[in-house]
Amino acid sequence: MFSASPPPRRDFISVTLSLGEAAGAGGYNNSKAWRRRSCWRKWKQLSRLQRSVILFLFAFLAVCGVISYTNVGEQWKSLTNKSAEDQKTEPEIPGLKPANPAVLPEPQKADANYPELSLQKRSKPLHVRRGPPNLQIRPPRRDARIKAQDVAGKTEEEPGQADKEEKTEKSIISWRGAVIEPDQITESPSSKIKEPEKPSSVEVEDQKEPVPVNERQMAVIEAFHHAWKGYKEFAWGHDELKPLSKSYSEWFGLGLTLIDALDTMWILGLKEEFEEAKKWVATDLQLDKNVDVNLFESTIRILGGLLSTYHLSGDSLFLEKAKDIGSRLMPAFNTPSKIPYSDVNIGRGTAHPPRWTSDSTVAEVTSIQLEFRELSRLTGDEKFQKAVDVVMKHVHSLSGKNDGLVPMFINTNSGQFTHLGVYTLGARADSYYEYLLKQWIQGGKKENELLEDYMRAMEGVKKHLLRTSQPKKLTFVGELAHGHFSAKMDHLVCFLPGTLALGAHNGLTADHMELAKALIETCYQMYVQVETGLSPEIVHFNLHAQKDRKDVEIKPADRHNLLRPETVESLFYLYRFTGDKKYQDWGWEILQNFNKYTRVPSGGYTSINNVQNPSNPEPRDKMESFFLGETLKYMFLLFSDDVDLINLDKYVFNTEAHPLPIWAPA
């Protein structure tokens, strides 16, 4: 007898296969009811465990499907915003401290009659709000507080824009330890002109609590009020105040002090004074007049002041006036060499060199670029930038330099350097070096020739012009004349510590910051070692130790003080980048000495003839416009702990302390 074999074990796989075979054996019926009954019978034949496993698998697959759909949706949504986010990313400088990538978006306008050159994608219309990005405007009260402003650079792609723009490979410059990767920005006005856009306005994205005005800043505001009181009462609408005689002097007859001080009033929060000055610009500033003006001085003071005030206030009045004066200065470039003449008649449209020479100074023809480049960017008219770019390219290619150092004069007919063999960072050459760096920063760090010329020049300074004084071993910058070194240093050279610090902040070699610290100590000693605590115009340093002699020697013809800003300017940069409060203390000492020896009781401050005579400094009866336009402005910024009060990663100062925006990236 054989025992019956047990039925085969039916697992999940065998049941599934058997069901499939039965279906394929012809038991399939096209009737929907039959199919439902057949499926139900087969489902009932499964064990409870098998049914549970199947239900669990279906549930698991359903959950996975929901999760996958959510993730894919998130990724798809992020892809739509990717290009906008990528635009905010700037390349880092390998191995060096990078600059803060923040930049100012496309400038604000309120008048469609002055369209701007497109340097980035078209902005959406935004709400108008008075005040620059990140700039806290404060009224002249210690407890004054207002909301700080940030600008959202919201852009949208124009149709076909991506197809038109070519991607260029970033070039890297290596110069004695500095490896610089240029920022990715749109084409400059001279190389890519689009249809001008309608003006956009300022929109506030974030609001943050401002840093309150402190006591030292209040002292600066009080000093400005005192200077402005004299100007308003005795020199209103004229170029310069003569505070002792309670009168005025004219240079161009264009309200030079008033225009130079516009953005200072805005930054200090002096709204009433600003509005009064603005009214004069609107109704009384007449540019159509038969008068000769100096191209350089009118560019840095008038054009620069109007452009800066336009950016800070957003008022198109100032852009309108800037375009007018810029156009009237253009005849200066009508020379055989395209090196501009020094003087222009803004009413007749003619230009000429000085009566005694056909030369222009190198500093003058190479320190107008920031302003004319920005004017092209705002108006969409490339002629302004083209004119000044030709000058820079020409100077870049000239022979006669000494390791990057340039002579002081250039001929407007031949286009060649003259008076060869004399090299200085003082008068007639100083701002050439300043504007090499600042144009590179303004344009987004991509104009390689400018950076190369700047770096080579700084190496030339270290090689030929740096020396150490006795007994304090102060590092100073002298002059070179036909191979002979002179220990002479202009106060004007005290711009250099700030410029070096700005370059180091923007990723250049770190030893520039160390040199900046050494040089600002020297500039401070040019004040400290003088009886009034005010620096003379020129000093000579002792190179050899001698008993009872200071580092600084002053010749009788050089002991005047013109209320110059250069040392305070560099103190501002050094404090902003290092946070060392000694720089604020040094600036406070200088302000107190200005108040002690140059303040005129009836209103205003005056230049003095003798910084070595505290009992009689011999006042000159002249208040330079740059005292309000530069010196007091840099004082106010120096005493502020608010890095967003003219953020140096968003603005670059022209050589008259007028902040202009760094061009935004693509």
Side-chain angles (χ1 to χ4, degrees), residues 251-252 291-299 328-335 339-361 364-365 368 412:
W251 191 2
F252 308 142
V291 61
D292 281 358
V293 304
N294 179 271
L295 171 67
F296 167 70
E297 297 290 355
S298 55
T299 296
R328 293 177 183 277
L329 294 175
M330 287 301 291
F333 297 92
N334 295 331
T335 70
I339 299 298
Y341 291 128
S342 62
D343 299 299
V344 188
N345 189 299
I346 57 174
R348 294 180 176 178
T350 59
H352 58 86
R355 287 187 294 272
W356 57 89
T357 180
S358 60
D359 291 347
S360 291
T361 68
E364 289 183 345
V365 303
I368 54 179
T412 54

Side-chain angles (χ1 to χ4, degrees), residues 94-146:
L96 293 173
K97 177 183 176 184
N100 189 317
V103 288
L104 186 70
E106 200 68 17
Q108 312 87 36
K109 298 187 185 63
D111 190 346
N113 293 327
Y114 293 92
E116 73 188 28
L117 182 65
S118 175
L119 281 182
Q120 63 179 21
K121 297 166 188 173
R122 193 179 302 276
S123 300
K124 296 179 180 179
L126 306 175
H127 300 293
V128 177
R129 176 163 180 160
R130 184 180 178 213
N134 293 319
L135 178 60
Q136 294 129 26
I137 303 303
R138 309 174 181 84
R141 300 190 304 275
R142 185 180 176 187
D143 60 345
R145 287 171 176 262
I146 66 170

Side-chain angles (χ1 to χ4, degrees), residues 47-65:
S47 69
R48 181 176 297 175
L49 176 60
Q50 291 168 334
R51 290 197 297 266
S52 298
V53 170
I54 293 173
L55 290 174
F56 173 80
L57 288 175
F58 276 114
F60 177 78
L61 292 174
V63 172
C64 290

